[in-house]
PDB file of all heavy atoms in Angstrom:
ATOM      1  N   ARG A 381      72.886  22.161-227.015  1.00  0.00           N
ATOM      2  CA  ARG A 381      71.735  22.994-227.035  1.00  0.00           C
ATOM      3  C   ARG A 381      72.061  24.339-227.670  1.00  0.00           C
ATOM      4  O   ARG A 381      73.131  24.908-227.466  1.00  0.00           O
ATOM      5  CB  ARG A 381      71.125  23.194-225.604  1.00  0.00           C
ATOM      6  CG  ARG A 381      70.018  24.029-225.550  1.00  0.00           C
ATOM      7  CD  ARG A 381      69.451  24.224-224.138  1.00  0.00           C
ATOM      8  NE  ARG A 381      69.259  22.968-223.440  1.00  0.00           N
ATOM      9  CZ  ARG A 381      68.908  22.789-222.206  1.00  0.00           C
ATOM     10  NH1 ARG A 381      68.768  23.727-221.472  1.00  0.00           N
ATOM     11  NH2 ARG A 381      68.737  21.562-221.805  1.00  0.00           N
ATOM     12  N   GLY A 382      71.126  25.017-228.429  1.00  0.00           N
ATOM     13  CA  GLY A 382      71.248  26.186-228.985  1.00  0.00           C
ATOM     14  C   GLY A 382      71.890  26.329-230.321  1.00  0.00           C
ATOM     15  O   GLY A 382      72.229  25.347-230.902  1.00  0.00           O
ATOM     16  N   ARG A 383      71.952  27.529-230.731  1.00  0.00           N
ATOM     17  CA  ARG A 383      72.507  27.677-232.164  1.00  0.00           C
ATOM     18  C   ARG A 383      74.075  27.669-232.100  1.00  0.00           C
ATOM     19  O   ARG A 383      74.729  28.022-231.150  1.00  0.00           O
ATOM     20  CB  ARG A 383      72.181  29.159-232.679  1.00  0.00           C
ATOM     21  CG  ARG A 383      70.679  29.234-233.023  1.00  0.00           C
ATOM     22  CD  ARG A 383      70.347  30.553-233.588  1.00  0.00           C
ATOM     23  NE  ARG A 383      70.706  31.672-232.678  1.00  0.00           N
ATOM     24  CZ  ARG A 383      70.614  32.863-233.088  1.00  0.00           C
ATOM     25  NH1 ARG A 383      70.163  33.200-234.261  1.00  0.00           N
ATOM     26  NH2 ARG A 383      70.971  33.863-232.185  1.00  0.00           N
ATOM     27  N   GLY A 384      74.605  27.135-233.271  1.00  0.00           N
ATOM     28  CA  GLY A 384      76.096  26.974-233.262  1.00  0.00           C
ATOM     29  C   GLY A 384      76.686  28.201-234.006  1.00  0.00           C
ATOM     30  O   GLY A 384      75.888  28.994-234.582  1.00  0.00           O
ATOM     31  N   THR A 385      77.948  28.340-234.089  1.00  0.00           N
ATOM     32  CA  THR A 385      78.724  29.380-234.775  1.00  0.00           C
ATOM     33  C   THR A 385      78.606  29.177-236.250  1.00  0.00           C
ATOM     34  O   THR A 385      78.645  30.152-237.066  1.00  0.00           O
ATOM     35  CB  THR A 385      80.124  29.463-234.219  1.00  0.00           C
ATOM     36  OG1 THR A 385      80.805  28.340-234.366  1.00  0.00           O
ATOM     37  CG2 THR A 385      80.098  29.966-232.753  1.00  0.00           C
ATOM     38  N   TRP A 386      78.605  27.908-236.616  1.00  0.00           N
ATOM     39  CA  TRP A 386      78.629  27.590-238.183  1.00  0.00           C
ATOM     40  C   TRP A 386      77.469  26.714-238.577  1.00  0.00           C
ATOM     41  O   TRP A 386      77.001  26.919-239.571  1.00  0.00           O
ATOM     42  CB  TRP A 386      79.982  26.843-238.447  1.00  0.00           C
ATOM     43  CG  TRP A 386      81.225  27.698-238.513  1.00  0.00           C
ATOM     44  CD1 TRP A 386      82.113  27.870-237.580  1.00  0.00           C
ATOM     45  CD2 TRP A 386      81.527  28.544-239.715  1.00  0.00           C
ATOM     46  NE1 TRP A 386      83.126  28.765-238.042  1.00  0.00           N
ATOM     47  CE2 TRP A 386      82.780  29.054-239.371  1.00  0.00           C
ATOM     48  CE3 TRP A 386      81.037  28.745-240.904  1.00  0.00           C
ATOM     49  CZ2 TRP A 386      83.443  29.948-240.186  1.00  0.00           C
ATOM     50  CZ3 TRP A 386      81.666  29.563-241.832  1.00  0.00           C
ATOM     51  CH2 TRP A 386      82.959  30.230-241.406  1.00  0.00           C
ATOM     52  N   ILE A 387      77.110  25.709-237.658  1.00  0.00           N
ATOM     53  CA  ILE A 387      76.036  24.834-238.170  1.00  0.00           C
ATOM     54  C   ILE A 387      75.004  24.734-237.012  1.00  0.00           C
ATOM     55  O   ILE A 387      75.308  24.494-235.814  1.00  0.00           O
ATOM     56  CB  ILE A 387      76.653  23.449-238.299  1.00  0.00           C
ATOM     57  CG1 ILE A 387      77.724  23.365-239.440  1.00  0.00           C
ATOM     58  CG2 ILE A 387      75.566  22.388-238.592  1.00  0.00           C
ATOM     59  CD1 ILE A 387      78.461  22.030-239.525  1.00  0.00           C
ATOM     60  N   THR A 388      73.796  24.868-237.453  1.00  0.00           N
ATOM     61  CA  THR A 388      72.629  24.808-236.467  1.00  0.00           C
ATOM     62  C   THR A 388      71.524  23.875-237.058  1.00  0.00           C
ATOM     63  O   THR A 388      71.107  23.967-238.236  1.00  0.00           O
ATOM     64  CB  THR A 388      71.983  26.061-236.175  1.00  0.00           C
ATOM     65  OG1 THR A 388      73.025  26.945-235.579  1.00  0.00           O
ATOM     66  CG2 THR A 388      70.893  25.982-235.118  1.00  0.00           C
ATOM     67  N   ILE A 389      71.021  22.921-236.246  1.00  0.00           N
ATOM     68  CA  ILE A 389      69.951  21.975-236.710  1.00  0.00           C
ATOM     69  C   ILE A 389      68.708  22.465-235.954  1.00  0.00           C
ATOM     70  O   ILE A 389      68.684  22.623-234.778  1.00  0.00           O
ATOM     71  CB  ILE A 389      70.323  20.473-236.512  1.00  0.00           C
ATOM     72  CG1 ILE A 389      71.454  20.021-237.321  1.00  0.00           C
ATOM     73  CG2 ILE A 389      69.089  19.648-236.640  1.00  0.00           C
ATOM     74  CD1 ILE A 389      72.853  20.162-236.593  1.00  0.00           C
ATOM     75  N   TYR A 390      67.630  22.586-236.762  1.00  0.00           N
ATOM     76  CA  TYR A 390      66.285  22.945-236.072  1.00  0.00           C
ATOM     77  C   TYR A 390      65.374  21.709-236.245  1.00  0.00           C
ATOM     78  O   TYR A 390      65.275  21.322-237.352  1.00  0.00           O
ATOM     79  CB  TYR A 390      65.719  24.161-236.767  1.00  0.00           C
ATOM     80  CG  TYR A 390      66.495  25.448-236.540  1.00  0.00           C
ATOM     81  CD1 TYR A 390      67.416  25.822-237.434  1.00  0.00           C
ATOM     82  CD2 TYR A 390      66.236  26.159-235.484  1.00  0.00           C
ATOM     83  CE1 TYR A 390      68.186  27.038-237.251  1.00  0.00           C
ATOM     84  CE2 TYR A 390      67.063  27.409-235.302  1.00  0.00           C
ATOM     85  CZ  TYR A 390      68.019  27.709-236.097  1.00  0.00           C
ATOM     86  OH  TYR A 390      68.671  28.912-235.905  1.00  0.00           O
ATOM     87  N   ALA A 391      64.925  21.280-235.132  1.00  0.00           N
ATOM     88  CA  ALA A 391      64.126  19.987-235.197  1.00  0.00           C
ATOM     89  C   ALA A 391      62.896  20.029-234.277  1.00  0.00           C
ATOM     90  O   ALA A 391      62.882  20.749-233.143  1.00  0.00           O
ATOM     91  CB  ALA A 391      64.964  18.791-234.796  1.00  0.00           C
ATOM     92  N   ASN A 392      61.883  19.383-234.671  1.00  0.00           N
ATOM     93  CA  ASN A 392      60.722  19.055-233.877  1.00  0.00           C
ATOM     94  C   ASN A 392      60.219  17.691-234.208  1.00  0.00           C
ATOM     95  O   ASN A 392      61.051  16.974-234.875  1.00  0.00           O
ATOM     96  CB  ASN A 392      59.544  20.168-233.971  1.00  0.00           C
ATOM     97  CG  ASN A 392      59.026  20.299-235.358  1.00  0.00           C
ATOM     98  OD1 ASN A 392      59.068  19.207-236.167  1.00  0.00           O
ATOM     99  ND2 ASN A 392      58.460  21.383-235.771  1.00  0.00           N
ATOM    100  N   LYS A 393      59.122  17.275-233.778  1.00  0.00           N
ATOM    101  CA  LYS A 393      58.786  15.818-233.902  1.00  0.00           C
ATOM    102  C   LYS A 393      58.300  15.538-235.352  1.00  0.00           C
ATOM    103  O   LYS A 393      58.164  14.331-235.660  1.00  0.00           O
ATOM    104  CB  LYS A 393      57.652  15.459-232.884  1.00  0.00           C
ATOM    105  CG  LYS A 393      56.413  16.245-233.207  1.00  0.00           C
ATOM    106  CD  LYS A 393      55.283  15.713-232.226  1.00  0.00           C
ATOM    107  CE  LYS A 393      53.890  16.408-232.380  1.00  0.00           C
ATOM    108  NZ  LYS A 393      52.911  15.889-231.340  1.00  0.00           N
TER     109      LYS A 393
END
Side-chain angles (χ1 to χ4, degrees):
R381 181 181 301 177
R383 293 184 298 174
T385 55
W386 284 98
I387 300 174
T388 303
I389 294 94
Y390 294 93
N392 59 27
K393 65 180 181 179

